[in-house]
Amino acid sequence: MTKQATPRKTVSFSAEAFEAINETEIRWLGNSGILLNSRGTCIMVDPVLEGFDLPLLIDMPIKTEEVPKLDGILMTHSDNDHFSLDTLKNLLPVTESFHAPKYVAELYSEKFHTDAIGHDIHTTFEIEEIKILLTPANHLWQNETSKFNRVFQLEDYCGFWIETPDGTLWIPGDSRLMEEHLQMPEPNAILFDFSDNEWHIGFDNAVKLANTYPKADLLLSHWGTVDAPNMNVFNGNPADLFDKVVNPDRIKELAAGERYILRKN
């Protein structure tokens, strides 16, 4: 059995991470989730703090009941390793707004009987001083199985381009590499999925994406979180990247909960 690479010990945090600050910081929550605090405006993207359907390799850096407030939750798609009903239910009382592709927003509204804001790909919206653009993604794996009773469309998935006063973060989301992904402005940081999986970017294409934006910091995601050594989607090894990525010192192998300060290049 393959031994999975795992991150360093989780750095726990609590309410202090949501206070007003004079910069923008990002904390990896495990898998593909992050907390972004930009000068006191706090957003979570794809948080799964509880309700994983696989055993975990890490401790979660914060419990849902410890989250004091969120100005928004952003969701890239409806897979349960991103769209956690348990997490979302418990965060609902402290969350001001929920944003996602229209299909995912409809799921949220139906489940929790509350408003959610659905967006088209290539449209923008703002949360306080943060400007957010939905970027395209191709993750149509559901259409290869009879498990679902609908035909999924490209517009059911997205990434997020997030502009803060202190720099830009791009979250491509779970996606095969698309030509548009290679034609973006250079971000200051990328939440970087390097899963060698046919419905994710694939390792070689992850390297291609990284080297298309040679100044962007790479915040590694979708690895080292769930105990699934035989599932390539979860078991990428950061060590495989260092001799293939231009400027490898920009590879940020964060522990869950560790602070990363977003800065303009």
Side-chain angles (χ1 to χ4, degrees):
M1 182 176 290
T2 303
K3 181 177 174 60
Q4 286 179 266
T6 55
R8 289 174 287 107
K9 183 179 179 180
T10 293
V11 178
S12 297
F13 62 89
S14 56
E16 80 283 349
F18 300 82
E19 295 174 356
I21 55 177
N22 295 319
E23 55 196 354
T24 295
E25 67 179 27
I26 296 164
R27 297 175 191 254
W28 182 48
L29 301 176
N31 203 49
S32 296
I34 64 164
L35 166 66
L36 182 146
N37 179 342
S38 182
R39 306 191 180 206
T41 299
C42 294
I43 294 170
M44 282 187 175
V45 184
D46 287 356
V48 185
L49 300 176
E50 56 187 302
F52 272 106
D53 55 4
L54 289 167
L56 293 176
L57 295 168
I58 64 171
D59 295 323
M60 291 294 102
I62 189 170
K63 297 179 180 179
T64 52
E65 60 266 27
E66 297 174 332
V67 176
K69 64 105 176 184
L70 289 170
D71 296 285
I73 290 178
L74 313 184
M75 193 66 55
T76 60
H77 64 295
S78 61
D79 285 352
N80 60 9
D81 63 324
H82 296 251
F83 186 79
S84 165
L85 294 177
D86 290 342
T87 300
L88 294 172
K89 177 183 178 181
N90 289 325
L91 291 178
L92 180 60
V94 298
T95 302
E96 290 294 323
S97 61
F98 179 91
H99 302 265
K102 288 182 175 179
Y103 168 67
V104 183
E106 290 170 3
L107 290 179
Y108 183 90
S109 294
E110 290 170 3
K111 183 65 180 179
F112 299 115
H113 307 289
T114 190
D115 291 337
I117 304 172
H119 302 274
D120 292 320
I121 308 303
H122 296 124
T123 60
T124 62
F125 61 95
E126 295 182 1
I127 299 177
E128 301 298 335
E129 294 185 0
I130 300 174
K131 185 176 180 180
I132 301 160
L133 166 71
L134 276 74
T135 61
N138 179 352
H139 192 55
L140 292 164
W141 69 270
Q142 291 97 333
N143 292 341
E144 293 187 352
T145 175
S146 58
K147 178 180 177 181
F148 302 94
N149 60 0
R150 74 186 296 270
V151 176
F152 284 77
Q153 306 295 325
L154 286 176
E155 57 264 29
D156 298 335
Y157 315 82
C158 77
F160 292 108
W161 179 274
I162 301 174
E163 296 185 11
T164 79
D166 303 296
T168 54
L169 170 69
W170 180 30
I171 303 173
D174 287 7
S175 179
R176 290 176 166 175
L177 184 65
M178 303 175 73
E179 185 61 30
E180 186 170 335
H181 293 161
L182 303 175
Q183 299 172 355
M184 304 289 290
E186 179 132 24
N188 299 116
I190 300 172
L191 190 66
F192 188 66
D193 176 12
F194 58 107
S195 304
D196 195 18
N197 175 272
E198 64 176 343
W199 279 109
H200 284 245
I201 192 168
F203 183 81
D204 290 342
N205 280 332
V207 171
K208 183 176 183 179
L209 181 73
N211 292 339
T212 299
Y213 305 104
K215 295 181 180 179
D217 282 349
L218 306 173
L219 314 184
L220 303 189
S221 71
H222 224 295
W223 76 286
T225 301
V226 298
D227 189 359
N230 296 318
M231 298 176 68
N232 58 10
V233 68
F234 294 117
N235 63 18
N237 189 338
D240 296 335
L241 291 168
F242 284 87
D243 64 349
K244 297 178 176 65
V245 167
V246 174
N247 302 325
D249 58 336
R250 64 200 175 95
I251 297 172
K252 306 302 179 184
E253 193 176 339
L254 300 174
E258 181 180 357
R259 295 171 70 242
Y260 165 84
I261 304 303
L262 183 64
R263 295 186 175 94
K264 296 178 180 179
N265 296 328

